[in-house]
């Protein structure tokens, strides 16, 4: 019988390391690109992010804590990209990866809360960035479109996570029933009636 709990934990640990690997490699190359383009602060933040993303391969048995640390590091980089505009104003486009990663790491309820808070922070930063003179986006249409797309992606991600959890719970419940029936059938000895009934099915 499948151990669904251990299988789920193994899948999460595997995904965490895949995400960490992709994040580390992407952050490393982006830090080099940013440094060559003159974005020193962004390059420094990405180097720090590389260290965070590499940590799951070095620190063992702390996957939950490291996952949350990686997620909030991602949030911090997103906020900085909004304020600074990123490399040639393309920073806000990285916001779209936050939704699926958040739901996988934090689950449906906590993930939804995190994304709502993030959306409020990002909207505020979009509003004040130009006023404070940090970065001037071409028009207000760009931040509006980004937030609209981000909101739709979060809603779709929430629905997917809800139904994924629902079907996972149903599958686990069915596996438990099957396991119980298998144990019960083991102790039932075949009788004459069972033999007659079996022949009638042939």
């Amino acid at each position: 019988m499948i151990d669904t709990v251990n299988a789920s934990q193994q899948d999460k640990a595997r995904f965490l390391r895949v995400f960490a690997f992709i994040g580390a490699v992407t952050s490393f190359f982006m830090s080099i690109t940013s440094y060559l383009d003159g974005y020193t602060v962004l390059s420094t933040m990405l180097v720090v992010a590389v260290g965070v993303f590499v940590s799951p391969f070095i620190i063992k048995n702390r996957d939950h804590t490291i996952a949350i640390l990686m997620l909030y590091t991602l949030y911090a980089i997103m906020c900085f990209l909004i304020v600074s505009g990123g490399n040639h104003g393309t920073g806000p486009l990285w916001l779209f990866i936050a939704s699926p990663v958040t739901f996988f790491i934090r689950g449906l309820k906590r993930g939804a809360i995190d994304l709502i808070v993030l959306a409020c922070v990002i909207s505020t930063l979009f509003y004040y960035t130009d006023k404070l003179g940090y970065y001037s986006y071409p028009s207000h249409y760009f931040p509006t479109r980004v937030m609209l797309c981000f909101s739709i992606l979060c809603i779709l991600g929430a629905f997917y996570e809800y139904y994924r959890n629902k079907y996972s719970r149903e599958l686990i419940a069915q596996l438990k029933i099957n396991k119980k029936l298998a144990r019960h059938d083991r102790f039932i000895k075949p009788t004459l009636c069972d033999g007659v009934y079996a022949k009638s099915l042939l």
Side-chain angles (χ1 to χ4, degrees):
M1 185 60 63
I2 300 173
D3 190 342
T4 53
V5 175
N6 290 335
S8 176
Q9 294 301 322
Q10 290 173 1
D11 289 340
K12 286 187 176 182
R14 192 176 297 112
F15 173 82
L16 176 65
R17 280 157 181 77
V18 170
F19 170 63
F21 176 76
I22 294 174
V25 172
T26 304
S27 299
F28 176 74
F29 284 108
M30 285 182 61
S31 67
I32 295 175
T33 304
S34 299
Y35 179 77
L36 294 176
D37 290 340
Y39 298 95
T40 309
V41 178
L42 177 58
S43 177
T44 303
M45 289 190 67
L46 290 170
V47 169
V48 174
V50 171
V52 174
F53 287 127
V54 169
S55 60
F57 301 100
I58 301 173
I59 303 173
K60 304 299 182 182
N61 302 322
R62 291 290 185 271
D63 284 354
H64 179 69
T65 303
I66 293 174
I68 295 176
L69 178 61
M70 288 197 303
L71 181 64
Y72 290 153
T73 300
L74 180 66
Y75 285 0
I77 293 175
M78 296 300 169
C79 292
F80 180 79
L81 290 174
I82 297 299
V83 173
S84 65
N87 197 333
H88 302 292
T90 60
L93 299 178
W94 291 97
L95 183 63
F96 301 130
I97 68 174
S99 174
V101 174
T102 299
F103 282 124
F104 190 90
I105 291 177
R106 297 287 280 164
L108 180 59
K109 293 182 180 179
R110 293 179 180 177
I113 294 173
D114 282 358
L115 288 172
I116 290 172
V117 173
L118 178 64
C120 293
V121 172
I122 293 298
S123 299
T124 304
L125 292 176
F126 264 132
Y127 181 77
Y128 284 105
T129 294
D130 186 29
K131 297 181 182 301
L132 296 176
Y134 290 114
Y135 185 82
S136 181
Y137 290 98
S139 70
H140 69 279
Y141 291 107
F142 179 75
T144 303
R145 296 292 195 281
V146 169
M147 291 309 301
L148 180 60
C149 292
F150 177 68
S151 300
I152 293 173
L153 186 61
C154 288
I155 293 172
L156 292 175
F159 273 106
Y160 172 80
E161 185 68 14
Y162 170 77
Y163 285 108
R164 188 185 71 82
N165 288 339
K166 178 183 176 182
Y167 293 132
S168 294
R169 288 194 299 268
E170 291 177 354
L171 177 61
I172 291 173
Q174 187 60 49
L175 287 172
K176 288 181 179 178
I177 292 173
N178 292 344
K179 189 174 182 179
K180 185 177 180 181
L181 290 174
R183 288 177 178 175
H184 182 264
D185 291 344
R186 240 183 254 169
F187 298 101
I188 298 177
K189 295 181 179 180
T191 63
L192 180 60
C193 294
D194 293 332
V196 173
Y197 178 70
K199 288 181 180 180
S200 67
L201 294 177
L202 299 176

